[in-house]
């Protein structure tokens, strides 16, 4: 059997992409906010139900730019249970990350622990909608309002996720999406910042284009974060297929949940109250009642050609550039520490077949 990876990029039929390429070749606009870039921004605003979106070359540059756009300094409260780019974006801005533990049910930043971590230097909170499950945005907003803090969501996993009040991306000051090849919606590489007013959108657009505000005017030390026409065109094509891709993910999610019910020691993460989920990941938690350790299970699966991922292990706070911080101590992060030891993200992507899902669960059940 062919190896099964945790994800496989979703690619529409190649023939459907050719007409887009022909347009690029005909008009010879390759980047700098060309027609496909403009079309994708508009199409995504409509699809996601958000007001403004600024496309980026990737989510990491978008995170770095988002912090610049709001002039964040000092300390930022964030989660250790994420991809390392979340905290790296803070270090790239000379900001000190302050790690706060996660909620055991959602593995998102625990709002109850945020207040204790606020200091006079705190200027913002950077939570992550982990696995696409919304954070407790209302509780976080309340704390931010009380202490006059900004909120920047790393929403890299949260494409198309809605709460009953609409898109989860409408919460916080800014939200950042990733369109990396491994994400639910991809443009090969890509990302975006969602904001709520035209003035902020203009500042972000300037910052991602070297700080240019006109041909001979530079208003800020910006970066080059622009998405190219090729990536934007692919995004437009991808958007035509995204609903069917998410629908198949939903089926896979349901199948795993049903098949895993009788397996002792394996817990599936529940939803976080989202009205529309995106089924970006399928994390399981392997606890002490399972016959072997999470790592032993990970190895057994790999021996059989199945390649799950330990998202998120190690914790960000355990990497060398973070572990010296007082907030990085494991005693400060007990829930995240256990989750990092127990989690395994099983393969989930639109072309994953039912037979492969059954085989994965059979191997898990047979230990
Ligand atoms: C993928 C990811 C990123 C980085 O996205 P890129 O587009 O690859 O730069 C940031 N944060 C989280 C939580 C991610 O999963």
């Amino acid at each position: 059997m062919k190896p099964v990876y945790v994800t496989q990029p979703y690619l529409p039929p190649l023939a459907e992409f050719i007409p887009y390429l022909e347009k690029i070749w005909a008009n010879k606009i390759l980047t700098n906010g060309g027609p496909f870039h403009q079309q994708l921004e508009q199409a995504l605003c409509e699809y996601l139900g958000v007001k403004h979106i600024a496309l980026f070359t990737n989510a990491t540059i978008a995170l770095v730019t988002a912090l610049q756009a709001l002039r964040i300094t000092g300390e930022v409260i964030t989660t250790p249970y994420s991809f390392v780019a979340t905290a790296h974006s803070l270090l790239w801005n000379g900001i000190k990350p302050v790690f706060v533990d996660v909620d055991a049910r959602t593995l998102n930043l625990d709002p109850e622990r945020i207040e204790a971590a606020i200091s006079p230097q705190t200027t913002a909170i950077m939570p992550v909608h982990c696995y696409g499950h919304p954070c407790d945005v209302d509780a976080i907003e309340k704390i931010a309002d009380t202490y006059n803090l900004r909120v920047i969501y790393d929403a890299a996993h949260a494409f198309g996720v809605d709460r009953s009040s609409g898109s989860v991306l409408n919460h916080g000051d800014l939200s950042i999406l990733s369109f990396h090849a491994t994400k639910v919606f991809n443009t090969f590489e890509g990302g975006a910042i969602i904001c709520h007013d035209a003035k902020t959108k203009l500042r972000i657009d300037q910052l991602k284009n070297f700080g240019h505000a006109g041909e001979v005017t530079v208003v800020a030390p910006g970066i080059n974060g622009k998405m190219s026409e090729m990536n934007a065109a692919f995004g437009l094509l991808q958007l035509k297929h995204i609903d069917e891709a998410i629908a198949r993910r939903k089926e896979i999610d349901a199948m795993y949940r049903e098949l895993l019910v009788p397996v002792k020691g394996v817990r599936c993460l529940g939803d976080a109250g989202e009205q529309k989920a995106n089924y970006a990941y399928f994390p399981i938690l392997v606890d002490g009642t399972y016959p072997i350790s999470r790592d032993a299970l990970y190895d057994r699966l790999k021996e059989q050609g199945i390649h799950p991922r330990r998202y998120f292990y190690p914790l960000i706070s355990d990497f060398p550039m973070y572990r010296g911080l007082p907030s990085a101590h494991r005693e400060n992060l007990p829930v995240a520490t256990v989750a990092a030891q127990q989690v395994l993200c099983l393969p989930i992507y639109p072309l994953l077949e039912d037979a492969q899902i059954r085989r994965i669960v059979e191997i898990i059940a047979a230990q």
Side-chain angles (χ1 to χ4, degrees):
M1 205 167 103
K2 273 191 296 183
V4 180
Y5 294 97
V6 72
T7 189
Q8 191 183 85
Y10 184 67
L11 290 168
L14 180 58
E16 292 183 22
F17 195 40
I18 304 298
Y20 292 84
L21 294 178
E22 285 171 347
K23 274 199 185 140
I24 295 174
W25 260 246
N27 67 23
K28 301 192 173 37
I29 301 172
L30 309 188
T31 185
N32 284 37
F36 284 131
H37 184 284
Q38 289 171 32
Q39 280 176 48
L40 183 59
E41 285 195 345
Q42 198 181 343
L44 285 174
C45 279
E46 280 164 30
Y47 181 83
L48 298 170
V50 301
K51 238 179 170 162
H52 297 280
I53 186 162
L55 297 175
F56 274 78
T57 185
N58 62 61
T60 305
I61 293 288
L63 282 164
V64 169
T65 307
L67 292 159
Q68 291 268 326
L70 300 184
R71 299 178 173 87
I72 304 297
T73 57
E75 296 179 2
V76 171
I77 290 170
T78 190
T79 169
Y81 193 79
S82 179
F83 181 61
V84 71
T86 310
H88 277 3
S89 72
L90 299 171
L91 289 197
W92 271 72
N93 279 289
I95 295 164
K96 181 174 163 189
V98 175
F99 296 109
V100 163
D101 206 5
V102 295
D103 176 288
R105 202 179 60 81
T106 61
L107 304 183
N108 285 329
L109 200 57
D110 185 347
E112 305 225 328
R113 296 170 198 252
I114 292 176
E115 275 187 274
I118 296 173
S119 85
Q121 282 71 48
T122 310
T123 56
I125 309 170
M126 185 181 270
V128 177
H129 299 299
C130 195
Y131 309 127
H133 299 306
C135 291
D136 188 344
V137 289
D138 300 321
I140 290 169
E141 192 171 310
K142 215 169 141 195
I143 296 164
D145 286 349
T146 305
Y147 293 89
N148 192 25
L149 305 175
R150 301 297 203 121
V151 181
I152 299 177
Y153 282 105
D154 180 340
H157 300 173
F159 185 93
V161 173
D162 291 344
R163 298 166 80 242
S164 57
S165 54
S167 174
V168 73
L169 304 171
N170 287 324
H171 292 273
D173 294 282
L174 301 174
S175 292
I176 287 78
L177 289 170
S178 171
F179 306 149
H180 182 256
T182 53
K183 306 299 206 275
V184 166
F185 173 85
N186 90 79
T187 59
F188 283 46
E189 290 268 7
I193 302 180
I194 282 85
C195 66
H196 318 307
D197 65 272
K199 200 174 150 210
T200 309
K201 157 83 168 147
L202 179 65
R203 175 157 166 83
I204 292 165
D205 282 346
Q206 290 170 346
L207 283 172
K208 77 174 191 190
N209 188 28
F210 313 98
H212 273 296
E215 212 181 303
V216 293
T217 317
V218 175
V219 295
I223 194 136
N224 181 1
K226 306 183 302 293
M227 178 183 279
S228 84
E229 285 294 279
M230 187 102 95
N231 299 99
F234 186 76
L236 282 166
L237 173 58
Q238 178 90 273
L239 203 52
K240 292 188 183 174
H241 295 272
I242 192 67
D243 285 335
E244 58 185 285
I246 291 175
R248 174 59 187 152
R249 284 176 177 275
K250 184 176 181 171
E251 286 175 4
I252 295 167
D253 178 285
M255 198 167 156
Y256 270 133
R257 282 178 196 278
E258 194 188 320
L259 294 174
L260 284 166
V261 168
V263 183
K264 214 170 156 271
V266 168
R267 178 164 73 86
C268 303
L269 214 65
D271 66 48
E274 57 265 42
Q275 191 166 65
K276 189 174 148 241
N278 67 6
Y279 312 96
Y281 297 86
F282 196 86
I284 58 168
L285 296 162
V286 181
D287 70 25
T289 65
Y290 188 74
I292 57 174
S293 72
R294 185 275 312 270
D295 287 340
L297 173 61
Y298 173 72
D299 290 337
R300 297 274 168 87
L301 285 162
K302 281 214 297 192
E303 283 160 19
Q304 309 269 344
I306 314 289
H307 299 264
R309 290 295 297 266
R310 288 166 290 186
Y311 293 142
F312 288 98
Y313 163 85
L315 295 177
I316 300 177
S317 46
D318 280 337
F319 288 119
M321 63 297 295
Y322 299 104
R323 64 179 168 224
L325 293 167
S327 65
H329 291 168
R330 291 192 179 171
E331 309 84 76
N332 183 46
L333 308 166
V335 179
T337 299
V338 170
Q341 286 160 0
Q342 295 188 339
V343 75
L344 203 56
C345 282
L346 301 182
I348 185 165
Y349 52 86
L351 291 183
L352 188 67
E353 292 161 18
D354 289 0
Q356 292 172 312
I357 299 164
R358 277 192 214 98
R359 211 172 98 77
I360 291 165
V361 176
E362 271 166 25
I363 298 169
I364 298 171
Q367 303 308 315

